[in-house]
Amino acid sequence: MDGREDWVDIGSAEALAQTPLRRVEARSTSLAVSCRDGVFGAVSNACNHVGGPLGEGALDGDYITCPWHQWKFHRVTGKGEPGFEADAVPSFPVRVDSGRLQVNLAAPTRRTKQPHDPHSLARKIERAPGPLRLAGLSTTAMDPKNPRFSGSDHLLEAALESAKASGAETQLIRLNDLSFRACEGYYSKAAHACTWPCSITQMDPDDQLDRVYEALVHWADAVIVSTPIRWGAASSLYFRMAERLNCVQNAITTHNRVLIRNKVAGFIIVGGQDNIQGVAGQMLGFFAELGFLFPQFPYVAHSRGWSREDMEENVRIVQDSAELAQGAGELAQRCLHLAERLITTDHTPGRIMRGGRKAFPVAHKTKREANANE
Ligand code: FES
């Protein structure tokens, strides 16, 4: 404490002692005020990470756990948990005077940040020179120990073969081979809690969806996603991935930042029964929201409809169909041709205001705290 004083009354000490942790506004400063064993603490409400509201977190002993991504700060000193002490949020002196809790706003400790190596996905998005690149994303689920023929995989492989034959680099990612967590809804806590790179990816080195982010955001010029139809929709693995891609779309919502630029998507949809157009519509809509563009006729598909549930025959038809394999190859070529034109003209924006949406407020930070976090 440097002797400066600006004591502000923030309420009855008895009443504040009833709640272990709460957010309190003291003039224009937002505080996380805590009480444990009769000892009060007051630290900045804004977490060092991306500004999460510490006062809405929980106490773990004397540490406040941020409700967004669980960073921890001492409730009295503001210092990070053991091992991360150099990461500190401002703490404020407190005193009880005539039954009232007061905070000295004039003498906070400094906010300090321990350098954290940024995740490799956070690097600048720049197309590396080289031939066109097509990523194939297989979303079918099967027992890896007892694999079976997959019509959607079969056609995806035909698409990649065609791309390779025309000189493109290709990469096949099977979601079934990756271990990755379901989206845990950080966005539902606050839009700014859903970060790029994905919060789960940053926190969990064992989560393997980083391969998909790397391919879609950094590596590929075009992507073809293949899916079976399951109960009239794309596969469950597709949706598990799609939910995790919220962080790519959310970069536009929170920062007007377009991560997917000059990239093209196409789809392969194979089902025993129908609803091809419904599945394609969902996939087109979702990938459009991410920022992908589409070639003419952006999907190839196969289904034999309600009255043809003879699946063995359905499999055989896909396996033997030269037309479907050719169609998948031509889809790859359409995707790559459009990608080449987009790369040459480079016309898609890096930033965009999304139609009709207001600039997004950073609700939990005072202006000073927001600046501190820049
Ligand atoms: S841990 Fe606090 S904002 Fe991420």
Side-chain angles (χ1 to χ4, degrees):
M1 188 160 159
D2 60 7
R4 288 179 297 166
E5 295 195 24
D6 178 19
W7 291 97
V8 175
D9 183 321
I10 59 169
S12 150
E14 190 182 347
L16 285 164
Q18 302 304 311
T19 312
L21 177 65
R22 71 167 77 184
R23 177 178 171 173
V24 173
E25 304 301 326
R27 297 211 196 98
S28 63
T29 302
S30 191
L31 301 170
V33 174
S34 57
C35 185
R36 185 164 181 253
D37 300 331
V39 178
F40 286 100
V43 299
S44 165
N45 187 56
C47 176
N48 262 8
H49 180 209
V50 284
L54 294 176
E56 293 167 27
L59 278 190
D60 175 7
D62 271 327
Y63 285 88
I64 298 171
T65 305
C66 178
W68 283 6
H69 313 103
Q70 292 82 52
W71 285 24
K72 291 186 180 185
F73 301 92
H74 196 280
R75 67 181 192 86
V76 177
T77 66
K79 289 188 175 160
E81 62 183 319
F84 298 92
E85 290 88 347
D87 234 325
V89 295
S91 75
F92 296 80
V94 292
R95 71 182 182 194
V96 176
D97 187 15
S98 305
R100 307 292 296 178
L101 186 63
Q102 298 178 340
V103 177
N104 184 0
L105 291 183
T109 56
R110 281 187 52 235
R111 184 184 295 275
T112 55
K113 294 193 176 186
Q114 187 162 313
H116 296 270
D117 286 340
H119 193 281
S120 65
L121 287 170
R123 71 187 188 273
K124 193 172 176 198
I125 300 168
E126 278 176 318
R127 185 186 186 276
L132 288 168
R133 297 185 277 267
L134 176 69
L137 261 179
S138 153
T139 72
T140 193
M142 67 175 79
D143 175 5
K145 289 195 199 116
N146 299 290
R148 57 172 169 76
F149 174 82
S150 155
S152 58
D153 270 8
H154 173 69
L155 296 181
L156 182 60
E157 280 157 20
L160 293 176
E161 280 305 314
S162 168
K164 217 184 289 178
S166 65
E169 285 181 5
T170 63
Q171 181 183 161
L172 172 61
I173 298 176
R174 294 182 202 276
L175 293 186
N176 199 53
D177 292 343
L178 305 182
S179 163
F180 62 100
R181 280 155 61 174
C183 175
E184 287 156 20
Y186 292 90
Y187 180 81
S188 301
K189 298 178 186 175
H192 281 270
C194 175
T195 57
W196 170 254
C198 169
S199 307
I200 292 174
T201 300
Q202 293 192 60
M203 290 188 287
D204 184 352
D206 294 330
D207 186 273
Q208 295 180 325
L209 206 70
D210 57 335
R211 285 120 163 119
V212 172
Y213 295 128
E214 180 66 40
L216 295 194
V217 174
H218 289 287
W219 183 80
D221 301 309
V223 55
I224 293 183
V225 186
S226 67
T227 185
I229 301 175
R230 303 258 193 256
W231 282 102
S235 77
S236 56
L237 276 181
Y238 164 80
F239 283 107
R240 197 177 167 96
M241 170 191 72
E243 288 182 21
R244 288 283 303 275
L245 289 172
N246 188 70
C247 60
V248 174
Q249 188 277 337
N250 195 47
I252 306 170
T253 305
T254 55
H255 295 88
N256 299 324
R257 184 173 176 219
V258 181
L259 300 180
I260 302 292
R261 297 186 59 244
N262 304 321
K263 291 178 190 274
V264 178
F267 307 97
I268 290 170
I269 302 160
V270 174
Q273 295 196 4
D274 210 347
N275 203 27
I276 286 168
Q277 277 117 350
V279 173
Q282 195 287 332
M283 294 175 104
L284 283 160
F286 178 68
F287 274 75
E289 286 272 349
L290 296 181
F292 283 88
L293 292 152
F294 309 103
Q296 266 190 313
F297 313 112
Y299 57 92
V300 295
H302 169 80
S303 151
R304 292 167 64 234
W306 177 261
S307 58
R308 295 295 185 116
E309 223 171 8
D310 48 349
M311 296 309 293
E312 312 86 283
E313 189 63 6
N314 200 43
V315 163
R316 190 193 62 71
I317 287 171
V318 176
Q319 210 161 11
D320 293 348
S321 171
E323 292 84 358
L324 280 171
Q326 183 184 341
E330 289 174 357
L331 173 66
Q333 296 305 322
R334 289 196 297 279
C335 289
L336 289 170
H337 288 155
L338 177 57
E340 187 167 32
R341 295 214 321 261
L342 292 172
I343 293 163
T344 310
T345 53
D346 187 24
H347 81 282
T348 54
R351 297 180 67 75
I352 196 163
M353 292 292 289
R354 305 193 68 227
R357 294 185 193 194
K358 282 188 173 175
F360 204 91
V362 184
H364 296 289
K365 297 180 195 173
T366 64
K367 201 171 167 193
R368 206 169 96 205
E369 287 165 340
N371 289 339
N373 278 331
E374 287 299 312

PDB file of all heavy atoms in Angstrom, residues 46-54 65-73 192-193 195 199 203, ligand 1:
ATOM      1  N   ALA A  46     -12.328  -8.778 -12.859  1.00  0.00           N
ATOM      2  CA  ALA A  46     -11.966  -9.230 -14.216  1.00  0.00           C
ATOM      3  C   ALA A  46     -10.778 -10.184 -14.178  1.00  0.00           C
ATOM      4  O   ALA A  46      -9.677  -9.823 -13.761  1.00  0.00           O
ATOM      5  CB  ALA A  46     -11.638  -8.036 -15.101  1.00  0.00           C
ATOM      6  N   CYS A  47     -11.006 -11.387 -14.630  1.00  0.00           N
ATOM      7  CA  CYS A  47      -9.970 -12.417 -14.675  1.00  0.00           C
ATOM      8  C   CYS A  47      -8.867 -12.019 -15.656  1.00  0.00           C
ATOM      9  O   CYS A  47      -9.118 -11.373 -16.668  1.00  0.00           O
ATOM     10  CB  CYS A  47     -10.621 -13.729 -15.103  1.00  0.00           C
ATOM     11  SG  CYS A  47      -9.482 -15.081 -15.333  1.00  0.00           S
ATOM     12  N   ASN A  48      -7.661 -12.458 -15.357  1.00  0.00           N
ATOM     13  CA  ASN A  48      -6.516 -12.168 -16.231  1.00  0.00           C
ATOM     14  C   ASN A  48      -6.607 -12.849 -17.588  1.00  0.00           C
ATOM     15  O   ASN A  48      -5.970 -12.414 -18.528  1.00  0.00           O
ATOM     16  CB  ASN A  48      -5.217 -12.656 -15.564  1.00  0.00           C
ATOM     17  CG  ASN A  48      -4.500 -11.526 -14.864  1.00  0.00           C
ATOM     18  OD1 ASN A  48      -5.036 -10.424 -14.749  1.00  0.00           O
ATOM     19  ND2 ASN A  48      -3.301 -11.799 -14.395  1.00  0.00           N
ATOM     20  N   HIS A  49      -7.353 -13.922 -17.668  1.00  0.00           N
ATOM     21  CA  HIS A  49      -7.345 -14.715 -18.893  1.00  0.00           C
ATOM     22  C   HIS A  49      -8.057 -13.955 -20.007  1.00  0.00           C
ATOM     23  O   HIS A  49      -7.406 -13.308 -20.812  1.00  0.00           O
ATOM     24  CB  HIS A  49      -7.996 -16.092 -18.613  1.00  0.00           C
ATOM     25  CG  HIS A  49      -8.050 -16.987 -19.802  1.00  0.00           C
ATOM     26  ND1 HIS A  49      -9.025 -17.932 -19.968  1.00  0.00           N
ATOM     27  CD2 HIS A  49      -7.249 -17.075 -20.899  1.00  0.00           C
ATOM     28  CE1 HIS A  49      -8.818 -18.583 -21.102  1.00  0.00           C
ATOM     29  NE2 HIS A  49      -7.745 -18.067 -21.685  1.00  0.00           N
ATOM     30  N   VAL A  50      -9.380 -13.989 -20.035  1.00  0.00           N
ATOM     31  CA  VAL A  50     -10.106 -13.185 -21.019  1.00  0.00           C
ATOM     32  C   VAL A  50     -11.241 -12.417 -20.353  1.00  0.00           C
ATOM     33  O   VAL A  50     -12.292 -12.189 -20.955  1.00  0.00           O
ATOM     34  CB  VAL A  50     -10.628 -14.021 -22.217  1.00  0.00           C
ATOM     35  CG1 VAL A  50      -9.502 -14.356 -23.173  1.00  0.00           C
ATOM     36  CG2 VAL A  50     -11.348 -15.287 -21.778  1.00  0.00           C
ATOM     37  N   GLY A  51     -11.040 -12.036 -19.101  1.00  0.00           N
ATOM     38  CA  GLY A  51     -11.976 -11.101 -18.466  1.00  0.00           C
ATOM     39  C   GLY A  51     -13.170 -11.725 -17.790  1.00  0.00           C
ATOM     40  O   GLY A  51     -14.151 -11.032 -17.516  1.00  0.00           O
ATOM     41  N   GLY A  52     -13.125 -13.016 -17.501  1.00  0.00           N
ATOM     42  CA  GLY A  52     -14.258 -13.663 -16.823  1.00  0.00           C
ATOM     43  C   GLY A  52     -14.577 -12.994 -15.494  1.00  0.00           C
ATOM     44  O   GLY A  52     -13.699 -12.422 -14.848  1.00  0.00           O
ATOM     45  N   PRO A  53     -15.847 -13.066 -15.057  1.00  0.00           N
ATOM     46  CA  PRO A  53     -16.279 -12.370 -13.841  1.00  0.00           C
ATOM     47  C   PRO A  53     -15.967 -13.174 -12.582  1.00  0.00           C
ATOM     48  O   PRO A  53     -16.735 -14.051 -12.187  1.00  0.00           O
ATOM     49  CB  PRO A  53     -17.793 -12.248 -14.055  1.00  0.00           C
ATOM     50  CG  PRO A  53     -18.152 -13.443 -14.897  1.00  0.00           C
ATOM     51  CD  PRO A  53     -16.959 -13.757 -15.755  1.00  0.00           C
ATOM     52  N   LEU A  54     -14.857 -12.856 -11.928  1.00  0.00           N
ATOM     53  CA  LEU A  54     -14.414 -13.657 -10.782  1.00  0.00           C
ATOM     54  C   LEU A  54     -15.447 -13.675  -9.665  1.00  0.00           C
ATOM     55  O   LEU A  54     -15.610 -14.683  -8.975  1.00  0.00           O
ATOM     56  CB  LEU A  54     -13.085 -13.113 -10.259  1.00  0.00           C
ATOM     57  CG  LEU A  54     -11.896 -13.249 -11.229  1.00  0.00           C
ATOM     58  CD1 LEU A  54     -10.648 -12.594 -10.642  1.00  0.00           C
ATOM     59  CD2 LEU A  54     -11.625 -14.714 -11.538  1.00  0.00           C
ATOM     60  N   THR A  65     -12.148 -19.439  -8.034  1.00  0.00           N
ATOM     61  CA  THR A  65     -12.086 -20.144  -9.303  1.00  0.00           C
ATOM     62  C   THR A  65     -12.936 -19.371 -10.308  1.00  0.00           C
ATOM     63  O   THR A  65     -14.130 -19.152 -10.098  1.00  0.00           O
ATOM     64  CB  THR A  65     -12.648 -21.580  -9.170  1.00  0.00           C
ATOM     65  OG1 THR A  65     -11.936 -22.245  -8.132  1.00  0.00           O
ATOM     66  CG2 THR A  65     -12.501 -22.353 -10.466  1.00  0.00           C
ATOM     67  N   CYS A  66     -12.305 -18.949 -11.400  1.00  0.00           N
ATOM     68  CA  CYS A  66     -13.034 -18.195 -12.424  1.00  0.00           C
ATOM     69  C   CYS A  66     -14.115 -19.079 -13.042  1.00  0.00           C
ATOM     70  O   CYS A  66     -13.859 -20.239 -13.378  1.00  0.00           O
ATOM     71  CB  CYS A  66     -12.058 -17.714 -13.507  1.00  0.00           C
ATOM     72  SG  CYS A  66     -12.894 -16.823 -14.839  1.00  0.00           S
ATOM     73  N   PRO A  67     -15.322 -18.544 -13.217  1.00  0.00           N
ATOM     74  CA  PRO A  67     -16.403 -19.391 -13.738  1.00  0.00           C
ATOM     75  C   PRO A  67     -16.251 -19.728 -15.223  1.00  0.00           C
ATOM     76  O   PRO A  67     -16.934 -20.615 -15.712  1.00  0.00           O
ATOM     77  CB  PRO A  67     -17.651 -18.524 -13.508  1.00  0.00           C
ATOM     78  CG  PRO A  67     -17.159 -17.121 -13.525  1.00  0.00           C
ATOM     79  CD  PRO A  67     -15.765 -17.173 -12.937  1.00  0.00           C
ATOM     80  N   TRP A  68     -15.360 -19.018 -15.924  1.00  0.00           N
ATOM     81  CA  TRP A  68     -15.261 -19.282 -17.366  1.00  0.00           C
ATOM     82  C   TRP A  68     -14.330 -20.443 -17.678  1.00  0.00           C
ATOM     83  O   TRP A  68     -14.718 -21.395 -18.333  1.00  0.00           O
ATOM     84  CB  TRP A  68     -14.814 -18.020 -18.110  1.00  0.00           C
ATOM     85  CG  TRP A  68     -15.924 -17.016 -18.273  1.00  0.00           C
ATOM     86  CD1 TRP A  68     -17.182 -17.090 -17.731  1.00  0.00           C
ATOM     87  CD2 TRP A  68     -15.883 -15.803 -19.016  1.00  0.00           C
ATOM     88  NE1 TRP A  68     -17.912 -15.992 -18.086  1.00  0.00           N
ATOM     89  CE2 TRP A  68     -17.150 -15.184 -18.883  1.00  0.00           C
ATOM     90  CE3 TRP A  68     -14.908 -15.159 -19.760  1.00  0.00           C
ATOM     91  CZ2 TRP A  68     -17.453 -13.967 -19.488  1.00  0.00           C
ATOM     92  CZ3 TRP A  68     -15.207 -13.950 -20.363  1.00  0.00           C
ATOM     93  CH2 TRP A  68     -16.476 -13.361 -20.238  1.00  0.00           C
ATOM     94  N   HIS A  69     -13.076 -20.389 -17.248  1.00  0.00           N
ATOM     95  CA  HIS A  69     -12.154 -21.478 -17.596  1.00  0.00           C
ATOM     96  C   HIS A  69     -11.327 -21.941 -16.401  1.00  0.00           C
ATOM     97  O   HIS A  69     -10.263 -22.523 -16.556  1.00  0.00           O
ATOM     98  CB  HIS A  69     -11.207 -21.041 -18.720  1.00  0.00           C
ATOM     99  CG  HIS A  69     -11.900 -20.372 -19.863  1.00  0.00           C
ATOM    100  ND1 HIS A  69     -11.887 -19.021 -20.049  1.00  0.00           N
ATOM    101  CD2 HIS A  69     -12.665 -20.876 -20.857  1.00  0.00           C
ATOM    102  CE1 HIS A  69     -12.594 -18.698 -21.114  1.00  0.00           C
ATOM    103  NE2 HIS A  69     -13.088 -19.801 -21.614  1.00  0.00           N
ATOM    104  N   GLN A  70     -11.806 -21.607 -15.219  1.00  0.00           N
ATOM    105  CA  GLN A  70     -11.262 -22.170 -13.968  1.00  0.00           C
ATOM    106  C   GLN A  70      -9.837 -21.728 -13.611  1.00  0.00           C
ATOM    107  O   GLN A  70      -9.145 -22.431 -12.884  1.00  0.00           O
ATOM    108  CB  GLN A  70     -11.349 -23.707 -13.981  1.00  0.00           C
ATOM    109  CG  GLN A  70     -12.762 -24.243 -13.912  1.00  0.00           C
ATOM    110  CD  GLN A  70     -13.459 -24.251 -15.261  1.00  0.00           C
ATOM    111  OE1 GLN A  70     -12.919 -24.767 -16.218  1.00  0.00           O
ATOM    112  NE2 GLN A  70     -14.646 -23.675 -15.349  1.00  0.00           N
ATOM    113  N   TRP A  71      -9.364 -20.605 -14.094  1.00  0.00           N
ATOM    114  CA  TRP A  71      -8.125 -20.068 -13.523  1.00  0.00           C
ATOM    115  C   TRP A  71      -8.421 -19.682 -12.071  1.00  0.00           C
ATOM    116  O   TRP A  71      -9.574 -19.356 -11.722  1.00  0.00           O
ATOM    117  CB  TRP A  71      -7.652 -18.826 -14.300  1.00  0.00           C
ATOM    118  CG  TRP A  71      -7.041 -19.120 -15.639  1.00  0.00           C
ATOM    119  CD1 TRP A  71      -7.253 -20.219 -16.426  1.00  0.00           C
ATOM    120  CD2 TRP A  71      -6.122 -18.283 -16.362  1.00  0.00           C
ATOM    121  NE1 TRP A  71      -6.534 -20.121 -17.589  1.00  0.00           N
ATOM    122  CE2 TRP A  71      -5.829 -18.942 -17.577  1.00  0.00           C
ATOM    123  CE3 TRP A  71      -5.525 -17.048 -16.108  1.00  0.00           C
ATOM    124  CZ2 TRP A  71      -4.956 -18.398 -18.527  1.00  0.00           C
ATOM    125  CZ3 TRP A  71      -4.656 -16.511 -17.058  1.00  0.00           C
ATOM    126  CH2 TRP A  71      -4.377 -17.183 -18.250  1.00  0.00           C
ATOM    127  N   LYS A  72      -7.356 -19.654 -11.242  1.00  0.00           N
ATOM    128  CA  LYS A  72      -7.583 -19.395  -9.805  1.00  0.00           C
ATOM    129  C   LYS A  72      -6.734 -18.225  -9.322  1.00  0.00           C
ATOM    130  O   LYS A  72      -5.552 -18.114  -9.716  1.00  0.00           O
ATOM    131  CB  LYS A  72      -7.241 -20.636  -8.991  1.00  0.00           C
ATOM    132  CG  LYS A  72      -8.232 -21.763  -9.236  1.00  0.00           C
ATOM    133  CD  LYS A  72      -7.988 -22.944  -8.341  1.00  0.00           C
ATOM    134  CE  LYS A  72      -9.026 -24.010  -8.654  1.00  0.00           C
ATOM    135  NZ  LYS A  72      -8.959 -25.142  -7.764  1.00  0.00           N
ATOM    136  N   PHE A  73      -7.316 -17.415  -8.469  1.00  0.00           N
ATOM    137  CA  PHE A  73      -6.623 -16.262  -7.893  1.00  0.00           C
ATOM    138  C   PHE A  73      -6.946 -16.184  -6.402  1.00  0.00           C
ATOM    139  O   PHE A  73      -8.098 -16.431  -5.997  1.00  0.00           O
ATOM    140  CB  PHE A  73      -7.066 -14.965  -8.594  1.00  0.00           C
ATOM    141  CG  PHE A  73      -6.793 -14.979 -10.066  1.00  0.00           C
ATOM    142  CD1 PHE A  73      -7.769 -15.429 -10.958  1.00  0.00           C
ATOM    143  CD2 PHE A  73      -5.558 -14.577 -10.569  1.00  0.00           C
ATOM    144  CE1 PHE A  73      -7.511 -15.477 -12.324  1.00  0.00           C
ATOM    145  CE2 PHE A  73      -5.298 -14.622 -11.935  1.00  0.00           C
ATOM    146  CZ  PHE A  73      -6.274 -15.070 -12.809  1.00  0.00           C
ATOM    147  N   HIS A 192     -17.867 -14.153 -24.729  1.00  0.00           N
ATOM    148  CA  HIS A 192     -16.412 -14.013 -24.649  1.00  0.00           C
ATOM    149  C   HIS A 192     -15.748 -15.197 -23.951  1.00  0.00           C
ATOM    150  O   HIS A 192     -14.523 -15.311 -23.985  1.00  0.00           O
ATOM    151  CB  HIS A 192     -16.042 -12.709 -23.938  1.00  0.00           C
ATOM    152  CG  HIS A 192     -16.155 -11.520 -24.847  1.00  0.00           C
ATOM    153  ND1 HIS A 192     -15.109 -11.072 -25.620  1.00  0.00           N
ATOM    154  CD2 HIS A 192     -17.211 -10.723 -25.131  1.00  0.00           C
ATOM    155  CE1 HIS A 192     -15.500 -10.038 -26.340  1.00  0.00           C
ATOM    156  NE2 HIS A 192     -16.776  -9.797 -26.058  1.00  0.00           N
ATOM    157  N   ALA A 193     -16.536 -16.053 -23.310  1.00  0.00           N
ATOM    158  CA  ALA A 193     -15.949 -17.250 -22.689  1.00  0.00           C
ATOM    159  C   ALA A 193     -15.632 -18.306 -23.740  1.00  0.00           C
ATOM    160  O   ALA A 193     -14.852 -19.214 -23.491  1.00  0.00           O
ATOM    161  CB  ALA A 193     -16.886 -17.821 -21.628  1.00  0.00           C
ATOM    162  N   THR A 195     -13.676 -19.042 -26.722  1.00  0.00           N
ATOM    163  CA  THR A 195     -12.493 -18.375 -27.271  1.00  0.00           C
ATOM    164  C   THR A 195     -11.974 -19.079 -28.524  1.00  0.00           C
ATOM    165  O   THR A 195     -12.263 -20.247 -28.764  1.00  0.00           O
ATOM    166  CB  THR A 195     -11.342 -18.406 -26.238  1.00  0.00           C
ATOM    167  OG1 THR A 195     -11.085 -19.775 -25.897  1.00  0.00           O
ATOM    168  CG2 THR A 195     -11.715 -17.631 -24.979  1.00  0.00           C
ATOM    169  N   SER A 199     -11.560 -23.152 -26.027  1.00  0.00           N
ATOM    170  CA  SER A 199     -11.143 -23.221 -24.619  1.00  0.00           C
ATOM    171  C   SER A 199     -10.717 -24.634 -24.232  1.00  0.00           C
ATOM    172  O   SER A 199      -9.724 -24.819 -23.509  1.00  0.00           O
ATOM    173  CB  SER A 199     -12.304 -22.776 -23.719  1.00  0.00           C
ATOM    174  OG  SER A 199     -12.778 -21.518 -24.119  1.00  0.00           O
ATOM    175  N   MET A 203      -6.982 -25.938 -22.937  1.00  0.00           N
ATOM    176  CA  MET A 203      -6.812 -26.459 -21.577  1.00  0.00           C
ATOM    177  C   MET A 203      -6.460 -27.940 -21.538  1.00  0.00           C
ATOM    178  O   MET A 203      -5.912 -28.415 -20.558  1.00  0.00           O
ATOM    179  CB  MET A 203      -8.100 -26.235 -20.767  1.00  0.00           C
ATOM    180  CG  MET A 203      -8.351 -24.778 -20.455  1.00  0.00           C
ATOM    181  SD  MET A 203      -9.737 -24.576 -19.320  1.00  0.00           S
ATOM    182  CE  MET A 203     -11.135 -24.932 -20.357  1.00  0.00           C
TER     183      MET A 203
HETATM  184  S1  FES B   1     -10.236 -18.436 -16.710  1.00  0.00           S
HETATM  185 FE1  FES B   1     -11.084 -16.544 -16.304  1.00  0.00          FE
HETATM  186  S2  FES B   1     -11.668 -15.802 -18.248  1.00  0.00           S
HETATM  187 FE2  FES B   1     -10.745 -17.714 -18.699  1.00  0.00          FE
END
